[in-house]
């Protein structure tokens, strides 16, 4: 996917956001829903808990291409990651990733037969870090007024096709 250094950069951008919008395909439609990130680090794979009877599980059986996007509008950080998703039931991994937030969604506990994990192997993506302090915003407006294309902060693509 990308270098270890870049993976750390991506992790530093998304680790505090926790909620990503997962998009899957349902027939000819794209559907997105919020998902809670449950891991403590990032190595090119994203992990989310899921109910094994959820519609997204069946959608992944038909088409496992997914997109997960994260946004922090207060910090002006946006990340979009594309990859391949699959659902697994690994009790050791479930045990290691279980947390009180997830427990709220699964009242029968981590041993419930419906508890599964959504694994997303990220293949590519891009991120934007738009520093919009007042001074930077004023400078960008001045650039635009002068007919120059204002800078938009940092934008970088990563992965298999850049």
């Amino acid at each position: 996917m990308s270098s270890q250094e870049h993976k750390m950069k991506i992790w530093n951008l998304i680790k505090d956001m926790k909620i990503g919008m997962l998009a899957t395909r349902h027939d000819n439609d794209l559907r997105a829903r919020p998902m809670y990130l449950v891991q403590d680090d990032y190595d090119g794979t994203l992990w989310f808990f899921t109910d094994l009877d959820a519609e997204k599980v069946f959608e992944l059986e038909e088409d496992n291409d997914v997109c997960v996007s994260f946004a922090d509008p207060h910090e002006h950080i946006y990340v979009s990651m594309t990859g391949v998703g699959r659902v697994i039931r690994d009790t050791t991994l479930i045990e290691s990733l279980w947390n009180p937030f997830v427990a709220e969604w699964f009242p029968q506990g981590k041993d419930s037969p419906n508890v599964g994990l959504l694994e997303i192997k990220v293949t590519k993506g891009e991120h934007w870090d738009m520093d919009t302090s007042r001074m930077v915003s004023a400078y960008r407006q001045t650039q635009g007024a002068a007919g120059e294309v204002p800078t938009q902060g940092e934008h970088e693509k990563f992965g298999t096709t850049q």
Side-chain angles (χ1 to χ4, degrees), residues 18 26 56:
K18 289 296 189 196
H26 179 81
K56 66 183 156 293

Side-chain angles (χ1 to χ4, degrees), residues 40-63:
D40 292 325
D41 56 18
Y42 173 69
D43 64 358
T45 302
L46 299 174
W47 292 99
F48 304 97
F49 276 90
T50 188
D51 185 315
L52 295 176
D53 289 332
E55 195 166 359
K56 66 183 156 293
V57 172
F58 303 108
E59 292 167 354
L60 285 170
E61 290 173 358
E62 296 294 317
D63 185 343

Side-chain angles (χ1 to χ4, degrees), residues 91-106:
T91 55
T92 303
L93 198 51
I94 288 170
E95 176 73 32
S96 71
L97 295 173
W98 193 260
N99 64 58
F101 182 84
V102 173
E104 292 293 320
W105 290 97
F106 297 96

Side-chain angles (χ1 to χ4, degrees), residues 15-152:
K15 69 181 179 183
D16 294 328
M17 292 184 209
K18 289 296 189 196
I19 306 292
M21 291 297 291
L22 170 69
T24 57
R25 185 169 301 281
H26 179 81
D27 296 326
N28 291 325
D29 298 324
L30 291 174
R31 299 187 61 221
R33 78 277 289 150
M35 299 292 290
Y36 184 79
L37 192 62
V38 294
Q39 64 214 66
D40 292 325
D41 56 18
Y42 173 69
D43 64 358
T45 302
L46 299 174
W47 292 99
F48 304 97
F49 276 90
T50 188
D51 185 315
L52 295 176
D53 289 332
E55 195 166 359
K56 66 183 156 293
V57 172
F58 303 108
E59 292 167 354
L60 285 170
E61 290 173 358
E62 296 294 317
D63 185 343
N64 62 359
D65 291 329
V66 299
C67 180
V68 181
S69 58
F70 295 87
D72 183 344
H74 297 295
E75 294 295 324
H76 309 283
I77 296 171
Y78 307 90
V79 180
S80 176
M81 305 165 95
T82 302
V84 177
R86 73 179 182 128
V87 177
I88 64 170
R89 175 135 174 80
D90 178 325
T91 55
T92 303
L93 198 51
I94 288 170
E95 176 73 32
S96 71
L97 295 173
W98 193 260
N99 64 58
F101 182 84
V102 173
E104 292 293 320
W105 290 97
F106 297 96
Q108 295 178 350
K110 58 187 160 204
D111 297 323
S112 166
N114 279 2
V115 174
L117 287 166
L118 175 56
E119 172 191 54
I120 299 179
K121 297 279 189 182
V122 175
T123 57
K124 61 185 172 180
E126 53 190 306
H127 61 88
W128 298 261
D129 186 351
M130 302 172 162
D131 178 5
T132 57
S133 67
R134 288 180 185 224
M135 182 176 279
V136 172
S137 292
Y139 173 71
R140 289 183 183 151
Q141 289 175 355
T142 302
Q143 280 182 307
E148 298 175 34
V149 176
T151 59
Q152 296 296 314

